Every structure is written in structure tokens, then in C-alpha cells.
Amino acid sequence: MGCFEIGALWVMVTIISIHADTSADGIQAECLGNRVQFILPGSLSAGSPLEVYAVNNTQTVLLTPHLAAQCGYTQKSDPWGNTIVSASLQSCFAENQVSVRNAIPEIKTAPVNQWPTVIPNLQLWKVLLYSPGEKAFDKETLQAMGYNVYSSPTRLVMRSPYNMAENFVQNVDGVDMMVFKSVVLFRDRWMMTIVESAAACPISGASVVGQMISWHVPRHISPLVSSEVEILEVHMGVNGRTLTPEEMGSRHYAMTFTESHIVVKIPIGAPDGYYKSYVLKDQYHVSYTIEPMLELLWKEGLDKTTYKVLFPITTPLTPWPLQVTDYTQPKQKVFDILLGYFLPDVELLNITFGSELLTVSEVLIKGIGLQEHSFPNDTKAFALQVPFSEPHVQIKSFRPDVRTYSLPLVFGFIILPEHTLFSYSTVLEASTTNIVLPNAGGSCEQEHFKMYVKYGSTPSSQLKIKLGHMELNDKILQQYEHHSNETHFFIIVPFLAPVVAFELTGITARIDVEIFDSLNNWSYKEISLACPFFLKLSECFSNGTINVVLPKLESVPNLHPDQLSLRDPACKPYYNEDYFAYFHFDVTTCGTTRKFVGDTMVYENEVTWKRDGPLPETLPPEKEYRCANPKDPEQTIFHPVIPDDRVDIPDHFKRFEVKTFSFKEDYGSSKSEDATLARRVFVHCDVIICHVDNTADGRCYKQCGATRNTVKSSSNRVRRRSSPSEEALQHVSIGPILFI
């Protein structure tokens, strides 16, 4: 809630004549028949309540509501903050002066003989009030009660506020009227004069049907007349100003006569009235107020009476639903709304973004766009622009390719001059579909994988990355060379890293990468990159020792390195980890055998796996060997081999053609990293070496893709067998091949 300074602005209003002019400082003065009206602009008060004083010669009197009613003044405010002060020309502090522009020449006339006149010295003695019973008061008592009694040799003024106990309500032709009735007694020593006076003001008679106000005023106001009267003139006006028939027509006002009433019709929203803001059950409401006037001149006997009534009419409160017009363009990543429509008496105090309340000035300081727009129909609205990057904007995703931005807002308002507070809540939402999903890729280098991850539209803090079965964190990242920027993450993974899986021992290494959204638990991308891995698994040294390194195969998930041994069960791994076993042994130990092949001595040993429990019935099958199949010439096409500089014995070679992928014609023209990686291709083949004339074996004549079986040998060695057998199966790789 904002703080308001309470102060007072002294405006001295002096009624000096009926010829009032517009004064300085924007104060407007206007003569309206028997009244003078002053309009004091709201800029004079600067938001503080006004105090109005009446000044008459040396008198300076504060016009309190009670004194104003007693002395013939009214004070009210309009929705624009202006103060309107109205005063009767017969008010308590009014004085008559004569303004002379030119000197009047002296005119001499002949004397006229007149009868001497004796003017009695009449003094006000008693005042009788009727409620409707009769009560007698003296002048001083009435003044103290709040009435005003003023008399001069030519005039008697009686004034009573509406809410006095001696006033009474009388229904006249269906219209309730507040009646003030008195008899004033003047006397001298030898004579008495009686003056009867009455006033009757309607306090009902207005009704609203649809968008039309109807005001009924009785034609025969019985508290004021004793018999039938003749109405000579009827004039309609607004705000104390009499309107011509042409002015009434242009405003769509109408005045009709029935047998008993004068009926005035005014459309709601007419320009002479105004709308006012209210709050009902924390909901914004409005009402329309207008002050029509009727002025009648009637004749009763030989006497003529002028009757003028100003009757403020306010329509019932009407809900005014606020509207949020959304101009947001998600591509701009800025909420852009217009909240309206409000009357001029409403001011914006603050806005709550999520859980943070900011005043209007704090909103502007923070760099959030906020403007007030005014419209020709005396309404206004507030425009707000909030970037999607504002901390209180919530990001929700219901699908990987759609992102929804949400911002809860609470607007705080105040209605002036009453200082009534109310609020309006709304939630802004916008969705973007041009989401760039995260992606990943990589390449095979000499001894490592080079991997990258593209963040796309997802914040890097929201992405999680898995290598193999490990989710990357700070501790794991310390083990690898890596770096990142605003769009990419790069990491280099050695072939022998724990996150690498081996498909064929010492031949193919594979790394699996998974990218997922930690906020929504969505998997964005899964890729696998397999690379030929020419690792020297065994090495013989001149001192007669052998080193063997064995990586764990993915196809045997339950194998642990400490379950391995050489032919001699006592020869366990010299060193082991979860993913590798290292053997170091002498050529004369651990069951090592030797044989001569030409002029070369070959040492042989076997690694066995001993475990408790049943062996698996089958091992997971390897991936679609591409092979010779005459039924499907689209798979593999063999070509004849002829002797040339590279081939001495054609029977020892086979050449074949395999159709693999289609590439877009313009894909290779891109110089991007993705395009370069896409042009690198590796080819892996499983081949069988057999004798073409030995048809009894049948290994070269069986179909491809036979199920691989596991066979348990007498030494508990596990060998992978397939049809054809693994002894004859060899793996050949070539690459990378760069497409230009």
C-alpha cells in the first residue's frame, strides 16, 4: 500500500457579484441563475483533500458539511479529482455590490407630492415549524439547531438541511418529497405580520430501465400550493445550466408530460454526466451519475412562483469486467498485454510478479515496460511488457517440442479520492513450438572418442548427459578432457574408459550417449558410436614374460575380472578393475604352450571364466551382417578380381559391393561440424575363410544371421559359437571413409 501525505490547500472563495469571471490558477467560475459555481482543478490539491473557506469582508469561515448545508453551499468531487463548489446568491456570506462602468448623468425632475407613509418597525418574533405537528422556536434556537433564518425589509430567507428532525416526507403522486414548512411571525407594538413559507424537494422518482434513466416530477406539488395552478413555463437543464430544445435533441434528452407528471428521459452515458469507479466484493464496478434540473414557472391566482430542483441521479452499481488483451508474439520472447478498461479515477499502485511485489516506480527501474494509455471515451488501460527471461516466469513443457512460459500477476489499484483499494489477478501464458531439440554426435579418433552435445533451445542447466550407464557430474568430468560454451558441450573419452562398451574383444568399442531433460524427465536423444579399436591386447617381452589386457565384453554382463584365470587356475589377473583384467606371466608358467611356425615360436595360453550357477542359454546376438545372398541382390554384389599391381593371386581376394545409405545431394556442401562428421563412414564386415571345394563342411553355404549358441567345454571355458563357427569367423574393418 502506498503512503499519502495529508495536507490542506486553502482556497478562499469570495462571492463579490453575479458577474463572476474565470480566475487564475485554472479556477473556473460561472453564474448559473441564482447560483455561482466554482471548479477547482485537482492539480491544486496534488492529491490532498481540499478545505474551502468562505470570505466576507473580515470573516473567513471553513465550510464544513454542516455549515455548507445551513448556509447554502455544496461541495463535491468529480472522477478527475476536481472540486466543485456551488453557492446560492442568498448564501450566508454573500453580499450585493453595484458595479458601475460609466458615470450616470444627474437628472433633475420636478418634486412629487406624496402622502407620508408610516413604516412599522417589525421584528422577527417566532418561527413555527410543522413536522407536520406545530412547534414554536425563536431565531437563536433555530440557528443553533442548524437552520438558517435571514430577514431584511424586502426578503425572508429560510434554509434547512435535509436531515433535520422537523422535516417530514410526503408522497406526492407516487414521488416521495422532503418537506420543510414554516410560519414566521413579525410584530411591532401595535401590529403583527405572518409569512408562510414551504419547500418541497423530491427524494425519489428516478428509475433505470435498460440504458435509459427516467425521472418523474409531480406537476401539482401539493405541499407548495393550495389549489390548482397554471404552469406557464417548464425548462430542463443539467448541472444547473438550462438547455435549449436543440441542445436537448443533440444529447438525446427528452421531456414529456402526463396528466400528473413531468417525465425527463436521459440515456446512460450522456456527456453531461460521468462514470465513477467502485469496488464490491473486490470486483471492479462502475455507476453513472448525472444531475438533471427542472425549472417551473406557475401561476396561482395572481401570484407567480418559480420552482427549481436539481436532482442528482446515480445508477446502481454495474460489474465492469476487466479485459486482458494479449499481443504476445512468442518468437519475441516477451509477454505483451493491455489491461483495461478503467475510469480516470483509478490509479495503478503496484504489480506482484510471482511472489515479489513491486511499486510502479520499481517496475520501471527494473526495466519492465509499463505504460498508461488514455482513450477518447474517458477510459484508460495499462500496457505491460515482461521478457520471458524474467526470473518469476515459469517454464513448463508438456511435449519435448513445445515450451510454455507462465507468469502469475496481481495488479494493485486505488480509486480516488476515496482511496479504495482493489486488485486484479491473472496468469500470462505463451507457448513456443520452434524448439530446437538437443542433439549429439561424435567421431572416432586414433585412441579416443570425440563427442559433442548441442543444447538446442533447452538451458544447459536443465540437461543431463549419460555416457554409457554413468550420468555425468563434476566428479566424473574431472577424469576426462572436456569444455563447453553457450551452445555445445565437448568431451574426449579414451577407448579404455569405463564408460566404453566392447562389442568384440579388442576390435570394436562403442560409446552410448543419452541426453535427457532433468526437469521433465524426458529423453531427448540416444546415440551409439562404434569405432574400430586396434588395441594391442598381448605383448611378448625379451625377458620371457607376456602381458595380456582383456576388456570386459558387453555381451557377458555378469562377468567380473577376478573370475578369470589362465590355463593354470592359480594364475589370476595380475591387476583388475571392473572393466579390465591385466595378466602378467612367464612363458614357462600358467600352462603356457609353445609351437614353431616356420622360423617363429608361438606361445599360447587360454583365459577361462569360472563361475557358480548355470550359464546363460544364449548370449545376446551381435548386429545385420551384410553377406552374399543370391536371393536378395540388393544386399551384396560380388565383383571379379583380376591381377594388377596390388593383387598377385586373385583367388586369395574377394571384392563385393554393399548399398548402405542415401545422402542428400547438397548435404556435403555444408562446412558445418555436423556435415563433416556425417561424411565420415566406417565399414565393418564379418568374413569366413573356407575352401570352396569342400562342400561337406557347409560353412560357406549356410544362411546369414544364424542364432549364436553358447557351449560349455570340459574346462568351463566359454566359447561363442555360431553357424558358421567362430573359429572361422573374422572381423574386418575399414575407415573412416570421407565422402567429398
Side-chain angles (χ1 to χ4, degrees):
M1 180 185 295
C3 297
F4 297 89
E5 296 182 358
I6 304 299
L9 176 65
W10 288 29
V11 178
M12 305 300 184
V13 181
T14 306
I15 303 177
I16 58 174
S17 76
I18 62 172
H19 301 288
D21 298 320
T22 301
S23 63
D25 299 325
I27 299 178
Q28 300 178 12
E30 184 178 8
C31 294
L32 300 174
N34 60 350
R35 299 165 57 246
V36 174
Q37 180 170 282
F38 295 85
I39 300 179
L40 313 176
S43 58
L44 292 177
S45 63
S48 301
L50 286 174
E51 289 186 352
V52 180
Y53 290 76
V55 179
N56 182 8
N57 292 330
T58 60
Q59 287 184 288
T60 301
V61 181
L62 174 64
L63 291 178
T64 63
H66 178 80
L67 183 61
Q70 183 182 21
C71 287
Y73 295 87
T74 61
Q75 179 179 339
K76 60 184 178 181
S77 299
D78 62 16
W80 299 271
N82 302 319
T83 299
I84 302 172
V85 179
S86 177
S88 168
L89 294 183
Q90 304 299 324
S91 62
C92 297
F93 305 99
E95 61 176 315
N96 295 328
Q97 295 182 355
V98 177
S99 176
V100 180
R101 294 176 180 263
N102 299 310
I104 300 177
E106 182 180 356
I107 300 176
K108 295 183 178 180
T109 58
V112 178
N113 295 326
Q114 296 181 347
W115 291 99
T117 304
V118 178
I119 301 177
N121 185 21
L122 293 175
Q123 299 293 327
L124 193 152
W125 176 45
K126 292 286 184 182
V127 178
L128 304 180
L129 298 183
Y130 296 87
S131 58
E134 181 182 301
K135 294 182 180 179
F137 302 91
D138 55 34
K139 179 179 178 180
E140 289 73 17
T141 302
L142 288 177
Q143 295 281 155
M145 293 170 60
Y147 294 96
N148 182 262
V149 181
Y150 169 77
S151 63
S152 70
T154 60
R155 178 167 296 165
L156 171 66
V157 177
M158 296 285 295
R159 185 174 287 111
S160 168
Y162 274 12
N163 58 355
M164 301 301 287
E166 286 71 24
N167 298 338
F168 62 95
V169 176
Q170 180 176 340
N171 187 275
V172 180
D173 289 330
V175 176
D176 290 333
M177 307 194 80
M178 185 67 70
V179 179
F180 171 59
K181 199 168 186 179
S182 66
V183 173
V184 181
L185 304 178
F186 294 88
R187 72 172 184 177
D188 195 6
R189 288 180 300 174
W190 49 273
M191 67 175 301
M192 180 179 290
T193 300
I194 298 176
V195 178
E196 295 184 3
S197 61
C201 299
I203 56 175
S204 69
S207 61
V208 177
V209 178
Q211 292 297 306
M212 188 66 68
I213 298 173
S214 297
W215 179 33
H216 291 69
V217 178
R219 295 184 63 171
H220 183 85
I221 304 177
S222 55
L224 306 184
V225 295
S226 58
S227 61
E228 289 295 328
V229 299
E230 177 185 359
I231 298 179
L232 303 178
E233 297 178 13
V234 179
H235 302 281
M236 185 258 179
V238 178
N239 299 328
R241 300 180 182 90
T242 302
L243 300 177
T244 65
E246 293 75 19
E247 291 173 326
M248 292 177 58
S250 66
R251 292 165 166 82
H252 304 287
Y253 298 156
M255 183 170 61
T256 58
F257 300 88
T258 68
E259 183 178 348
S260 57
H261 292 87
I262 302 170
V263 182
V264 174
K265 290 189 177 294
I266 300 172
I268 295 178
D272 295 304
Y274 60 86
Y275 286 96
K276 183 74 180 73
S277 299
Y278 296 91
V279 177
L280 181 62
K281 296 182 180 179
D282 202 38
Q283 298 296 314
Y284 187 50
H285 288 67
V286 300
S287 67
Y288 176 76
T289 297
I290 191 168
E291 188 176 74
M293 178 188 75
L294 270 182
E295 190 170 9
L296 285 73
L297 176 64
W298 68 64
K299 183 177 181 182
E300 184 181 11
L302 298 177
D303 297 327
K304 293 182 180 179
T305 301
T306 299
Y307 178 79
K308 179 187 291 187
V309 55
L310 288 78
F311 190 72
I313 300 174
T314 298
T315 62
L317 295 186
T318 303
W320 188 302
L322 298 179
Q323 307 171 23
V324 175
T325 306
D326 196 343
Y327 298 103
T328 301
Q329 296 183 5
K331 291 183 179 180
Q332 303 297 327
K333 294 190 175 181
V334 175
F335 287 113
D336 187 0
I337 66 163
L338 186 73
L339 175 60
Y341 293 88
F342 300 91
L343 298 181
D345 56 354
V346 174
E347 295 292 338
L348 177 62
L349 285 182
N350 51 57
I351 305 176
T352 301
F353 296 84
S355 59
E356 183 181 13
L357 186 148
L358 299 176
T359 63
V360 170
S361 58
E362 290 171 338
V363 170
L364 297 175
I365 292 174
K366 198 171 183 180
I368 297 175
L370 179 62
Q371 305 90 30
E372 179 179 311
H373 297 288
S374 299
F375 302 96
N377 63 349
D378 286 333
T379 63
K380 63 182 179 181
F382 299 94
L384 181 68
Q385 299 88 32
V386 184
F388 287 179
S389 57
E390 164 65 30
H392 295 288
V393 175
Q394 303 170 4
I395 303 177
K396 301 177 182 178
S397 297
F398 302 100
R399 286 175 16 204
D401 58 340
V402 177
R403 185 169 300 155
T404 300
Y405 299 86
S406 177
L407 176 62
L409 296 175
V410 180
F411 294 84
F413 299 99
I414 187 171
I415 298 176
L416 299 176
E418 299 85 359
H419 295 163
T420 305
L421 301 176
F422 73 101
S423 62
Y424 177 78
S425 303
T426 187
V427 177
L428 307 183
E429 284 193 348
S431 297
T432 55
T433 56
N434 56 339
I435 300 298
V436 179
L437 297 178
N439 201 354
S443 62
C444 300
E445 304 296 335
Q446 186 173 358
E447 295 181 350
H448 57 262
F449 297 95
K450 185 177 182 181
M451 308 300 298
Y452 73 89
V453 173
K454 270 188 178 180
Y455 302 140
S457 303
T458 307
S460 59
S461 60
Q462 194 172 321
L463 287 180
K464 297 295 182 181
I465 302 172
K466 277 187 177 180
L467 292 183
H469 299 292
M470 291 188 178
E471 182 179 316
L472 294 184
N473 53 39
D474 292 339
K475 182 178 180 180
I476 295 177
L477 286 175
Q478 291 177 0
Q479 306 172 23
Y480 302 99
E481 181 183 348
H482 68 281
H483 65 280
S484 61
N485 56 32
E486 294 182 355
T487 60
H488 286 72
F489 167 77
F490 301 91
I491 188 169
I492 294 177
V493 182
F495 282 161
L496 297 181
V499 295
V500 177
F502 295 92
E503 296 179 350
L504 292 174
T505 305
I507 299 298
T508 303
R510 190 186 80 247
I511 188 168
D512 300 324
V513 180
E514 180 183 0
I515 311 170
F516 62 96
D517 187 319
S518 61
L519 181 64
N520 301 287
N521 199 26
W522 286 334
S523 179
Y524 282 124
K525 188 75 174 179
E526 293 184 20
I527 68 165
S528 294
L529 180 61
C531 300
F533 182 29
F534 301 103
L535 176 66
K536 201 170 186 179
L537 299 180
S538 62
E539 188 173 6
C540 297
F541 297 96
S542 58
N543 62 359
T545 60
I546 298 175
N547 281 352
V548 177
V549 57
L550 293 177
K552 179 181 178 181
L553 291 180
E554 184 188 33
S555 58
V556 190
N558 297 323
L559 184 147
H560 196 273
D562 60 9
Q563 296 175 304
L564 301 176
S565 67
L566 297 176
R567 285 173 177 165
D568 184 350
C571 293
K572 295 289 186 178
Y574 177 77
Y575 172 74
N576 66 78
E577 295 179 351
D578 289 340
Y579 293 89
F580 293 93
Y582 300 88
F583 289 91
H584 177 73
F585 57 96
D586 193 274
V587 295
T588 61
T589 62
C590 297
T592 306
T593 62
R594 67 179 181 176
K595 65 181 179 179
F596 290 92
V597 179
D599 58 354
T600 302
M601 183 179 293
V602 179
Y603 293 93
E604 293 183 343
N605 206 323
E606 292 180 344
V607 178
T608 61
W609 174 33
K610 294 183 178 180
R611 65 185 293 274
D612 298 328
L615 292 174
E617 295 181 0
T618 59
L619 295 177
E622 296 295 336
K623 292 182 176 179
E624 288 172 358
Y625 300 112
R626 298 172 186 118
C627 63
N629 187 350
K631 294 183 180 180
D632 188 1
E634 292 295 324
Q635 288 190 353
T636 307
I637 301 174
F638 281 86
H639 297 280
V641 181
I642 58 176
D644 58 18
D645 294 339
R646 299 172 299 170
V647 179
D648 293 330
I649 307 175
D651 290 341
H652 291 182
F653 292 85
K654 286 291 184 182
R655 286 181 179 164
F656 58 91
E657 173 186 348
V658 179
K659 293 183 179 180
T660 57
F661 304 99
S662 299
F663 295 89
K664 294 174 61 177
E665 186 175 354
D666 60 344
Y667 192 79
S669 63
S670 173
K671 296 182 179 180
S672 67
E673 184 181 10
D674 285 349
T676 303
L677 292 175
R679 296 197 297 269
R680 300 165 66 102
V681 176
F682 292 84
V683 178
H684 309 288
C685 299
D686 289 319
V687 298
I688 300 172
I689 302 175
C690 58
H691 200 290
V692 296
D693 294 333
N694 188 3
T695 58
D697 187 4
R699 291 178 297 177
C700 289
Y701 304 97
K702 294 185 178 181
Q703 297 294 324
C704 296
T707 304
R708 185 176 301 167
N709 299 320
T710 57
V711 180
K712 183 177 179 182
S713 66
S714 59
S715 61
N716 284 342
R717 291 195 300 269
V718 175
R719 296 181 180 178
R720 293 185 294 172
R721 291 190 177 271
S722 63
S723 182
S725 63
E726 191 155 13
E727 288 86 346
L729 184 66
Q730 300 295 325
H731 191 83
V732 179
S733 299
I734 185 172
I737 302 171
L738 180 63
F739 287 88
I740 301 177

